[in-house]
Amino acid sequence: MSKVIECISPVDGQVYATRETLSHPDAQMMVARARAAQPSWAARPLADRIALVQAGIAALNEMKDVVVEELAWQMGRPTRYGGEFGGMNERANYMISIAEASLAPMVIEDSATALRQIAREPMGVVAIIAPWNYPYMTVINSLVPALIAGNTVVLKHATQTLLVGERIAEAFHAAGIPEDVFQNVFLSHDVTETLLGERAFDFINFTGSVGGGRALEKAAAGTFVGMGLELGGKDPGYVADDADLDAAVDGLMDGALFNAGQCCCGIERIYVHESLYDAFVGKAIDWASKLKLGNPFEADTTLGPMANKRFAEVVRGQVADAINEGAQPLLDPAMFPADDGGAYLAPQILINVNHEMRVMREESFGPVVGIMSVKNDEEAIAAMNDCQYGLTCSLWTSDATRAEAIGARLQTGTVFMNRCDYLDPALCWTGCKETGRGGSLSVLGYHALTRPKSYHLKKVTK
């Protein structure tokens, strides 16, 4: 049976959009259309697929003003930041630029006696299950290479960003991509899991919670369908004794609090060498005190509400527990009068924290960060690895050799030096441990959405 899903706006707590989900039979028909359309889409010349995807991105850019406003209503990001178009375009353009080389056969031998090569073939029907925190960029990571590689795509977006998939589909269809090749759908969890159990899709790309990833794997158990999973994170930063202190404060605090802390690779815990600890903490307080929490449509707002009241409740609970266990809060909530006890949440910096506290172990995904002093690199490495997640880490030092040596010992998907909270589209976006498996972007992003097919053609010789 179908049901109605609602997007509750964090701006005013009102229902912003509603949509009806597909019934199981209607969802099966949708998948059947995608499967029927896939061979002819894959048969098109690669140059044609690239051109159509480029046109789709261009059409989406033409919707910028509407999209930025809708994003503020749906998930609270201040309009002053202009949505996600900078990062979205960077990723799309790079993946388009490497498409031909990434999908070219790997030729082992092409001689008078044999052709031996490894070709890349599309998976078939790819399902993208997208999150609300960066709802455009996360879709583009998979959508662009999936379509260019010859797959058809079914997109299921998060309830909190209900309109995003419709906007992307509107743009891509206007650009000439057939409707059955790329479909945006509204599905309940039950119908989604039933489709997975039926092996409706040939690959699933999911960005979301650890619990969501487990539910998908359980639903698809025994089907042998590949999955790309980017799940939880608790990304650390380390400020070494030779770091540029001001740059470290600016980078790490922005990484911790931008987008109300709702970033997959946001900084959630910071370890500072004891020689810089007091100075770092003082500067971090000054940095965060300049933020303006408020309505995302107001020009001076730098920190909007969290996407949903229940997300803010998780962070409030972690902070309260930490304080009860001895942590010291450094930001006076009175500096952020817009904090209403609901989705609008004042940022917080905590010291006197330890790894027994939930706020230093569980994903917060909100505007809070804990800061600890460490004696040396060894202590920092141990603390950074003391976590069930592994997405990124951020090292602040003037010595690249030192950063590389530390990074080699970290259980993480990406090692940053003197920056954080950024996806370089030329590098594989990946994680380890409970952050998940698989990878997107880079040439490996194309490999994730295609399968290798080997050819050993022995030629007749006379």
Side-chain angles (χ1 to χ4, degrees), residues 193-263:
E193 291 176 2
T194 300
L195 292 174
L196 292 178
E198 295 171 343
R199 207 189 191 285
F201 309 109
D202 301 300
F203 189 82
I204 299 100
N205 192 288
F206 172 72
T207 305
S209 68
V210 173
R214 287 198 180 105
L216 293 181
E217 285 200 331
K218 183 177 179 181
T223 66
F224 310 117
V225 169
M227 290 189 184
L229 302 170
E230 186 201 317
L231 309 175
K234 193 72 181 173
D235 291 7
Y238 170 44
V239 183
D241 53 359
D242 63 343
D244 180 326
L245 185 60
D246 289 333
V249 170
D250 187 57
L252 289 171
M253 293 309 296
D254 184 64
L257 300 179
F258 183 76
N259 202 38
Q262 299 167 131
C263 303

Side-chain angles (χ1 to χ4, degrees), residues 11 36 53 93 105 147 156 195 202 252 271 288 328 340 342 432 447:
V11 177
V53 170
N93 291 338
L147 289 175
K156 175 188 180 295
L195 292 174
D202 301 300
L252 289 171
Y271 306 97
Q328 179 183 347
D340 61 354
C432 61
H447 289 183

Side-chain angles (χ1 to χ4, degrees), residues 91-153:
R91 298 177 192 186
N93 291 338
Y94 182 80
M95 295 305 287
I96 288 168
S97 74
I98 66 168
E100 187 173 353
S102 299
L103 296 170
M106 181 189 301
V107 179
I108 310 301
E109 178 186 1
D110 187 4
S111 68
T113 58
L115 172 64
R116 294 184 294 140
Q117 66 178 20
I118 303 169
R120 306 299 312 184
E121 289 208 344
M123 291 288 195
V125 181
V126 171
I128 299 175
I129 305 176
W132 50 263
N133 63 319
Y134 282 96
Y136 283 92
M137 289 197 290
T138 50
V139 170
I140 292 303
N141 289 353
S142 299
L143 178 62
V144 166
L147 289 175
I148 288 176
N151 301 286
T152 52
V153 174

Side-chain angles (χ1 to χ4, degrees), residues 113-116 455-459:
T113 58
L115 172 64
R116 294 184 294 140
Y455 289 84
H456 190 150
L457 308 181
K458 183 178 179 181
K459 299 178 182 178

